[in-house]
């Protein structure tokens, strides 16, 4: 885990501990010369094409985020630059749970997968990688309207309720993305993982709030277009980091639709190119659509329908009483009256009580280790909600510390016991603690008995909000859900290490502009020992073309690559695109953009 103070970035330093657990060291030294070449190839291709279709000046955006076309970014440099615009960045191991990802955005921190795609997935990878996360997301962060949307989306997404199936889907997607980027996985194992994901996806049932928000995130942050339907510009990171789909997405057979509240009805497949994309006229429209959806969510609606979502979640959630008391736990039951209004709520297992996001002293998950239940509603024959009673009014109904009391709710639930403590917060009564207490419903059903110990009765007329996770995450969640499936760490055989050395030598020749005579030997070694490689040969041709040091060798390398593009269908577009960049270098265009 990284030392967060190393970055000297306020946003990263301010992350709570439940988010810090996902952070891993970048280990910049692990990037191989091939990795660096992959980054350079993708970035040069990106710029060559994106200069015309990206929403913002691409190079200026890269520079403001601390990125370059030549080298994989260093996290320290990124944080130094992002800090100037109120953002930060951390590296993680592949996919992290959606709720955590959203919360990072709320803290204005970019989550960047530390790994980089393999060369055989250079056009697109379903796994998150440093090309997608940094070259896709970071350059547009400098746009104030956009980064406000991104952080606001994170704050909404962090509260979204999910279903128990969402985590199954997350694990299946993470597992498949890891396998697709691994070098030693059999076709059988890959097919099995794809089938498993397909089965889970088909059995999801009605989408949860998190699943629906995931769609809005996908069609904006990842695959969004802005402008008009006839000639939109790209701002979505998934498109900006895919040298294949950033081009193909502009074809006429990819439908362009206006982005609005109905976009949430369009699911997506992370493993395939998208059949349609959505265009927004402004970033403000993204916020407006998000607001419309947020108004349907449990954290804004509360009530019995929201408790149902919490029960279906089967993971920790928080219900907020109208008094401000927050109850965190795994919700398992609730009571309803004839009008489907809540009469009580119940959690099972470790639970906690909080107010304003801070756990109440003595009311953590170890104290409430077996669960929590309490009535919801008004007292019988009372025109005032119990939370609004001051101490004088409480005394009038017999609620006094050290004295016996009997409370009967409109629902018929009766609480009888000796008042031990009255807890108030911001001039509202939020909790009444009883000893020797019995709680029963009007039908005689016992909800709590004296021998069970102290009874903590939540106070509140209504449940006004329900949201994912704990109210006080740092107190409740020492560790949130971290997948036990880690990305594969590659060990390289001797032959591959020799290929790395060729890439390193070619880069040194290009950068130092010396020892050009080595190029012939390097190319001959490629031809004889590394026939599968195409990228290093392109880099050799680039040097020869721009220096003119060996016209005969240049001709030989060009013919070699042209024949390779004909014989190897998988490499045809990659090689031809590389040849185009050599003939139309981006360096001069970059310089012109920087000057402008």
């Amino acid at each position: 885990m990284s030392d967060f103070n190393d970055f000297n970035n306020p946003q990263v330093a301010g992350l709570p501990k439940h988010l810090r657990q996902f952070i891993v060291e970048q280990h910049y030294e692990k990037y191989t010369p091939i990795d660096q070449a992959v980054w350079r190839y993708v970035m040069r291709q990106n710029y060559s094409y994106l200069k015309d279709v990206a929403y913002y000046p691409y190079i200026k955006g890269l520079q403001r985020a601390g990125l370059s076309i030549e080298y994989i970014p260093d996290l320290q440099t990124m944080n130094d630059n992002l800090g100037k615009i109120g953002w930060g960045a951390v590296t993680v191991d592949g996919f992290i749970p959606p709720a955590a990802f959203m919360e990072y955005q709320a803290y204005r921190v970019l989550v960047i997968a530390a790994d980089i795609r393999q060369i055989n997935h250079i056009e697109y990878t379903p796994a998150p990688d440093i090309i997608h996360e940094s070259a896709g997301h970071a350059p547009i962060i400098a746009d104030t309207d956009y980064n406000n949307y991104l952080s606001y989306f994170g704050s909404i997404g962090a509260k979204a309720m999910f279903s128990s199936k969402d985590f199954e889907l997350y694990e299946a997607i993470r597992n498949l993305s890891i396998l697709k980027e691994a070098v030693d996985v059999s076709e059988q194992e890959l097919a099995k993982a794809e089938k498993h994901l397909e089965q889970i996806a088909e059995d999801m049932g009605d989408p949860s709030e998190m699943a629906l928000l995931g769609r809005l995130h996908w069609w904006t942050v990842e695959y969004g277009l802005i402008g008009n339907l006839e000639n939109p510009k790209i701002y979505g990171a998934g498109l900006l980091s895919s040298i294949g789909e950033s081009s193909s997405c502009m074809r006429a057979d990819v439908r362009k639709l206006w982005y609005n509240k109905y976009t949430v009805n369009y699911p997506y497949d992370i493993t395939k190119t998208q059949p349609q994309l959505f265009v927004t006229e402004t970033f403000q429209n993204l916020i407006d659509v998000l607001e419309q959806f947020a108004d349907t969510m449990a954290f804004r609606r509360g009530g019995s329908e929201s408790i149902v979502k919490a029960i279906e979640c089967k993971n920790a959630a928080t219900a907020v009483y109208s008094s401000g008391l927050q109850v965190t736990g795994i919700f398992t039951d609730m009571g309803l009256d004839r009008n489907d209004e809540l009469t009580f709520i119940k959690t099972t297992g470790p639970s906690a009580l909080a107010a304003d996001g801070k756990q109440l002293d003595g009311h953590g998950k170890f104290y409430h280790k077996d669960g929590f239940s309490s009535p919801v509603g008004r007292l019988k024959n009372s025109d005032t909600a119990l939370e609004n009673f001051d101490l004088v009014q409480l005394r009038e109904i017999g609620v006094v510390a050290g004295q016996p009391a009997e409370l009967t709710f409109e629902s018929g639930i009766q609480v009888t016991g000796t008042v031990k403590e009255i807890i108030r917060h911001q001039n509202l009564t939020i909790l009444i603690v009883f000893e020797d207490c019995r709680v029963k419903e009007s039908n005689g059903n016992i909800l709590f008995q004296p021998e069970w110990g102290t009874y903590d009765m939540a106070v509140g007329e209504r449940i006004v909000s329900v949201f994912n996770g704990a109210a006080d995450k740092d107190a409740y969640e020492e560790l949130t859900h971290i997948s036990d499936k880690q990305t594969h760490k590659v060990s390289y055989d001797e032959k591959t290490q020799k290929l790395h050395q060729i890439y390193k030598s070619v880069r040194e020749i290009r950068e130092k502009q010396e020892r050009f005579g080595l190029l012939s030997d390097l190319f001959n070694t490629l031809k004889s020992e590394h026939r599968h490689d195409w990228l290093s040969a392109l880099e050799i041709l680039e040097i020869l073309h721009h220096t003119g040091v060996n016209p005969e060798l240049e001709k030989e390398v060009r013919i070699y690559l042209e024949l390779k593009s004909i014989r190897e269908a998988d490499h045809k577009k990659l090689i031809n695109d590389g040849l185009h960049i050599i003939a139309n270098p981006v360096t001069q265009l970059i310089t012109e953009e920087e000057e402008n």
Side-chain angles (χ1 to χ4, degrees):
M1 186 180 294
S2 296
D3 183 344
F4 312 98
N5 295 319
D6 286 351
F7 302 131
N8 196 28
N9 180 291
Q11 304 305 129
V12 177
L15 287 171
K17 67 181 183 182
H18 69 274
L19 291 181
R20 296 180 184 182
Q21 65 187 302
F22 295 103
I23 302 175
V24 299
E25 294 281 2
Q26 184 183 22
H27 290 301
Y28 195 88
E29 72 284 352
K30 76 177 181 178
Y31 299 122
T32 69
I34 293 180
D35 292 336
Q36 295 286 359
V38 165
W39 171 272
R40 183 173 183 266
Y41 177 90
V42 172
M43 296 302 289
R44 281 156 57 84
Q45 292 293 336
N46 274 352
Y47 181 69
S48 177
Y49 179 68
L50 293 175
K51 62 183 173 60
D52 297 319
V53 298
Y55 169 68
Y56 54 92
Y58 193 66
I59 297 302
K60 287 184 178 179
L62 290 175
Q63 290 173 334
R64 291 195 69 178
L67 306 175
S68 81
I69 279 182
E70 292 295 319
Y71 287 96
I72 295 170
D74 170 65
L75 194 63
Q76 176 69 64
T77 303
M78 285 191 68
N79 270 298
D80 290 344
N81 284 269
L82 290 172
K84 297 173 184 176
I85 54 177
W87 279 73
V90 295
T91 42
V92 299
D93 184 50
F95 280 113
I96 63 172
F101 182 88
M102 295 290 184
E103 200 170 358
Y104 273 107
Q105 284 185 193
Y107 279 93
R108 303 176 82 86
V109 173
L110 285 179
V111 175
I112 297 174
D115 291 331
I116 187 168
R117 67 193 63 178
Q118 294 180 57
I119 190 170
N120 57 322
H121 292 155
I122 196 168
E123 286 193 280
Y124 171 77
T125 172
D129 80 328
I130 197 165
I131 293 178
H132 168 74
E133 307 292 358
S134 56
H137 287 291
I140 196 174
I141 287 293
D143 187 294
T144 302
D145 290 339
Y146 178 77
N147 72 47
N148 284 340
Y149 167 70
L150 197 62
S151 61
Y152 187 54
F153 197 111
S155 67
I156 299 296
K159 295 181 175 72
M161 297 301 300
F162 53 85
S163 71
S164 56
K165 290 183 179 293
D166 285 336
F167 258 127
E168 293 180 41
L169 184 66
Y170 156 71
E171 285 287 2
I173 290 174
R174 177 179 167 86
N175 182 47
L176 179 60
S177 71
I178 290 171
L179 292 178
K180 284 201 169 188
E181 275 300 305
V183 297
D184 55 351
V185 177
S186 67
E187 290 296 324
Q188 183 180 4
E189 187 177 1
L190 198 58
K192 182 179 178 182
E194 289 176 336
K195 182 66 175 176
H196 180 58
L197 173 56
E198 184 181 323
Q199 290 172 339
I200 292 176
E202 290 175 351
D203 189 37
M204 290 296 292
D206 292 336
S208 67
E209 288 181 355
M210 183 62 81
L212 293 173
L213 266 179
R215 293 178 184 179
L216 295 184
H217 196 270
W218 182 264
W219 298 125
T220 60
V221 175
E222 297 295 351
Y223 277 75
L225 302 176
I226 188 168
N228 56 60
L229 297 182
E230 293 72 31
N231 186 31
K233 300 295 184 182
I234 296 173
Y235 72 88
L239 292 174
L240 292 173
S241 60
S242 170
I243 57 178
E245 203 164 359
S246 62
S247 175
S248 65
C249 76
M250 290 302 178
R251 295 197 310 245
D253 61 333
V254 179
R255 289 186 301 156
K256 311 301 189 296
L257 306 174
W258 285 118
Y259 181 77
N260 54 40
K261 64 181 181 180
Y262 301 110
T263 302
V264 77
N265 297 323
Y266 288 79
Y268 62 90
D269 186 339
I270 194 171
T271 66
K272 298 176 182 177
T273 56
Q274 308 308 312
Q276 76 280 310
L277 295 172
F278 295 87
V279 184
T280 185
E281 288 188 289
T282 64
F283 288 137
Q284 180 58 47
N285 179 55
L286 303 186
I287 294 177
D288 293 343
V289 172
L290 179 60
E291 273 294 291
Q292 288 176 302
F293 182 78
D295 284 341
T296 71
M297 294 173 63
F299 85 96
R300 287 191 178 173
R301 293 180 66 88
S304 57
E305 62 181 288
S306 298
I307 295 296
V308 169
K309 291 181 180 180
I311 293 172
E312 291 175 348
C313 173
K314 299 180 183 178
N315 281 271
T318 297
V320 184
Y321 277 82
S322 49
S323 65
L325 181 70
Q326 298 166 314
V327 179
T328 294
I330 297 176
F331 286 83
T332 54
D333 200 4
M334 65 179 184
L336 297 173
D337 64 16
R338 295 175 182 174
N339 299 315
D340 288 334
E341 296 293 331
L342 285 167
T343 59
F344 77 89
I345 58 173
K346 179 182 179 181
T347 66
T348 300
S351 304
L353 307 181
D356 289 335
K358 293 297 181 183
Q359 185 171 289
L360 300 182
D361 289 343
H363 289 280
K365 64 180 180 180
F366 298 109
Y367 177 71
H368 296 287
K369 60 183 176 56
D370 299 318
F372 181 86
S373 67
S374 192
V376 180
R378 286 194 180 196
L379 295 180
K380 190 174 182 179
N381 301 321
S382 175
D383 294 328
T384 304
L386 183 57
E387 63 256 41
N388 293 320
F389 281 37
D390 59 25
L391 292 176
V392 173
Q393 291 170 308
L394 288 173
R395 178 179 291 276
E396 289 174 353
I397 62 170
V399 178
V400 180
Q403 299 295 317
E406 181 178 305
L407 300 176
T408 302
F409 289 82
E410 287 180 338
S411 62
I413 292 177
Q414 188 177 64
V415 180
T416 306
T418 299
V419 178
K420 180 181 179 182
E421 184 182 8
I422 300 168
I423 298 177
R424 291 172 59 80
H425 178 74
Q426 295 185 350
N427 296 319
L428 293 175
T429 301
I430 63 172
L431 194 70
I432 301 174
V433 182
F434 290 89
E435 291 181 322
D436 193 25
C437 185
R438 185 181 304 278
V439 182
K440 64 179 181 179
E441 294 181 287
S442 57
N443 61 7
N445 182 42
I446 300 296
L447 299 177
F448 194 89
Q449 301 192 89
E451 54 268 30
W452 294 356
T454 301
Y455 182 68
D456 301 284
M457 190 191 83
V459 177
E461 181 181 9
R462 294 170 291 114
I463 297 297
V464 296
S465 178
V466 179
F467 57 84
N468 164 60
D472 186 341
K473 289 184 171 65
D474 280 349
Y476 185 85
E477 304 174 9
E478 289 100 348
L479 288 176
T480 51
H481 181 89
I482 295 183
S483 176
D484 57 1
K485 292 183 175 64
Q486 303 299 302
T487 53
H488 291 207
K489 308 307 176 187
V490 181
S491 57
Y492 301 102
D493 58 25
E494 185 178 353
K495 183 178 180 181
T496 304
Q497 290 179 36
K498 288 181 178 179
L499 181 59
H500 289 168
Q501 188 58 49
I502 292 175
Y503 272 86
K504 181 179 179 182
S505 298
V506 171
R507 178 178 280 271
E508 289 175 349
I509 292 169
R510 183 180 66 247
E511 292 179 345
K512 295 179 180 179
Q513 290 290 291
E514 61 182 27
R515 302 180 72 192
F516 297 115
L518 287 176
L519 292 175
S520 180
D521 290 339
L522 293 171
F523 178 60
N524 287 332
T525 303
L526 279 177
K527 286 195 301 180
S528 61
E529 299 180 18
H530 306 283
R531 296 287 297 181
H532 65 283
D533 182 80
W534 56 273
L535 181 52
S536 188
L538 267 175
E539 293 201 324
I540 289 173
L541 179 62
E542 178 192 347
I543 296 170
L544 294 168
H545 178 76
H546 294 304
T547 61
V549 294
N550 191 334
E552 291 185 4
L553 181 60
E554 179 186 348
K555 182 178 180 181
E556 182 184 354
V557 177
R558 186 180 299 278
I559 292 172
Y560 173 82
L561 284 166
E562 289 173 348
L563 289 173
K564 200 173 189 62
S565 73
I566 295 171
R567 293 168 179 164
E568 300 174 13
D570 289 347
H571 296 149
K572 181 177 181 178
K573 183 178 185 300
L574 295 168
I575 292 173
N576 289 340
D577 286 349
L579 293 173
H580 176 79
I581 290 293
I582 291 173
N584 303 274
V586 300
T587 308
Q588 182 177 351
L589 296 172
I590 292 172
T591 303
E592 290 173 357
E593 182 177 313
E594 290 171 342
E595 291 174 351
N596 293 332

